[in-house]
Amino acid sequence: MTSAPPSPERPALGHDDVRSSLSGPVSVCVDRPVLSLDRPFTYELPGALDAGVGSLVQVPFHGRAVKGWVLGTTDDVPARMLAIKKVVSPERWFDVDGLALARWVGQRYVAPLATVLGRATPPRIASEEGKERPPYGSIDRSRVVTGDVFSGYRGTGLLEHALASPGFRAILVRPAPEDEATIAVDLVARCLASGRRAVVIVPEATPVPGVARALREAFGDRCALVLGGSTRLRCRTWLDAQAGRFDVVVGTRPAVFTPVPEVGMILVSRESHPALREDRAPYYNVRDVALARGRIQGCAVFLSAICPSSETAGLDLPQVEPSSRRWVPVEIVKPGPEGRAPRLVRALKEARRAFVFSPLPGAGIAAVCRACGSPAACAACGGLLRSEEGAVRCIVCEAPGRCRVCGAADFGLRRGGRERVEAWAGRLTSTPVH
């Protein structure tokens, strides 16, 4: 169990804002992702270049021209300072909040800032950059209709308080299985009703999760799906999201870095899913990055899981959950003879509906030939023989069961399997068993 990640400090907004242009000495993160060079370097930024925080520029570095990101102004001015050669891209790839989040990820997961910035931004497509994009639009509230999905839940006052005004709040939501997608839509609707946008993280792209489908159906073309696709589509969607075209961004792990303006909520769906941990450096977990972003940008973070991870349980967050159990109990018991554990027997006697999983088919495995006493083996291929539906067959080649030594078809069985479970379970209850 891990403790809560360290809290990043929210940077003060000022002249280094995302659209501001800088000049003079600036800090640059050179695109050399090694820990020995993981520090900013100071360059002279000519005002005519029209660059600022997040600009991708070209700088001289050890006799070579390399790319780098402008991090902001600096007072650390060396005696000899080189000038930035040119601006590589007209786009600003992060703002001060995005830079603070990238620095936090680098410190938390021991990764160079250049590596984090490379993961936090999409692959570049030059023809998609510098296009005329509409200014930040107002949130489309025409499709926003909140329902009463939380009527059977306790702790719903936490949700209303978290979404009513800006400020960081983290809440664990434990939806009933049938409510998972509906709750996501309701939370996003409440966020949009407050005049702020939402980011939703889902664990996988294929097949498209039900949460992503439900959000797309509810909010139409104001909902962006960042679920893979071509490099061009990913770059275009990222830049459109930065410009405020979408009210909701739904995506897999990288979407947690999407620079949505006026974000009011981050929802991590199925936060215990193993796919929410990055398998390339930096090896971040979306849950921790979402919480850090919430602290930096002052927004609500909802961790949604039917069964939360042990790390989330260790955070001791306030919970919103059904008032009464709405899913069946699941028990794993120590097996008795043929799996007939006493607790399982008691549960079957009391249950009206149940599902029992038996990993073995048939009624048993042939152990010995009754005619000659030899260990049972298939006469054709030497494989195991299994009794199923009254007949003995090889589990490898499916040939009729014959002794490999004498050719007899009479075997002693080592009992166990689905048919045996069906038989003894049927004797325990009056409910039909199949």
Side-chain angles (χ1 to χ4, degrees), residues 36-56:
S36 59
L37 297 176
D38 188 28
R39 66 178 182 85
F41 293 85
T42 303
Y43 288 89
E44 177 72 23
L45 175 60
L49 290 183
D50 189 25
V53 174
S55 291
L56 187 62

Side-chain angles (χ1 to χ4, degrees), residues 37-273:
L37 297 176
D38 188 28
R39 66 178 182 85
F41 293 85
T42 303
Y43 288 89
E44 177 72 23
L45 175 60
L49 290 183
D50 189 25
V53 174
S55 291
L56 187 62
V57 296
Q58 187 183 86
V59 297
F61 188 76
H62 285 271
R64 301 179 61 184
V66 300
K67 292 186 296 185
W69 293 271
V70 176
L71 306 182
T73 56
T74 180
D75 296 328
D76 183 15
V77 181
R80 179 175 177 268
M81 183 168 53
L82 300 177
I84 293 175
K85 287 180 173 294
K86 66 177 182 178
V87 176
V88 177
S89 169
E91 301 293 343
R92 306 287 177 88
W93 296 98
F94 52 83
D95 58 7
V96 289
D97 286 348
L99 176 58
L101 180 61
R103 281 174 166 157
W104 181 90
V105 171
Q107 294 172 2
R108 175 69 168 81
Y109 297 100
V110 194
L113 180 60
T115 299
V116 180
L117 293 175
R119 290 280 182 264
T121 54
R124 289 186 58 227
I125 300 294
S127 59
E128 292 293 335
E129 299 173 9
K131 289 184 176 180
E132 288 287 339
R133 286 185 165 81
Y136 292 178
S138 60
I139 293 175
D140 180 8
R141 308 188 187 196
S142 61
R143 298 185 179 93
V144 178
V145 179
T146 57
D148 58 352
V149 64
F150 285 107
S151 59
Y153 285 72
R154 55 172 171 257
T156 54
L158 298 170
L159 304 176
E160 298 174 359
H161 179 63
L163 294 173
S165 58
F168 169 69
R169 297 173 185 86
I171 297 174
L172 172 61
V173 180
R174 301 191 63 181
E178 65 272 18
D179 291 340
E180 185 178 23
T182 309
I183 281 179
V185 173
D186 188 272
L187 287 174
V188 171
R190 291 170 186 257
C191 180
L192 300 186
S194 70
R196 293 176 294 164
R197 294 178 170 87
V199 175
V200 179
I201 312 299
V202 293
E204 55 195 355
T206 305
V208 177
V211 168
R213 289 198 305 270
L215 289 169
R216 182 69 175 188
E217 293 172 1
F219 302 102
D221 58 1
R222 297 303 294 264
C223 174
L225 297 183
V226 188
L227 303 174
S230 66
T231 302
R232 178 177 295 277
L233 177 62
R234 290 161 59 192
C235 182
R236 180 189 303 155
T237 304
W238 195 93
L239 292 172
D240 286 345
Q242 185 186 55
R245 175 182 173 186
F246 305 110
D247 296 337
V248 188
V249 172
V250 184
T252 49
R253 292 188 303 265
V256 73
F257 296 104
T258 304
V260 178
E262 301 170 350
V263 63
M265 183 192 84
I266 302 173
L267 169 64
V268 181
S269 178
R270 301 191 180 185
E271 66 80 26
S272 56
H273 199 288

Side-chain angles (χ1 to χ4, degrees), residues 367-417:
V368 64
C369 175
R370 293 184 187 275
C372 66
S374 300
C378 175
C381 70
L384 287 175
L385 301 175
R386 178 169 59 211
S387 173
E388 190 168 7
E389 297 180 353
V392 177
R393 290 185 174 276
C394 175
I395 66 174
V396 178
C397 66
E398 299 185 352
R402 296 289 179 182
C403 177
R404 194 172 190 178
V405 177
C406 66
D410 187 17
F411 299 95
L413 300 179
R414 184 169 64 249
R415 296 177 178 178

Side-chain angles (χ1 to χ4, degrees), residues 8 14 16 276 301 339 349:
D16 287 351
L276 290 175
V301 178
K349 287 181 178 179

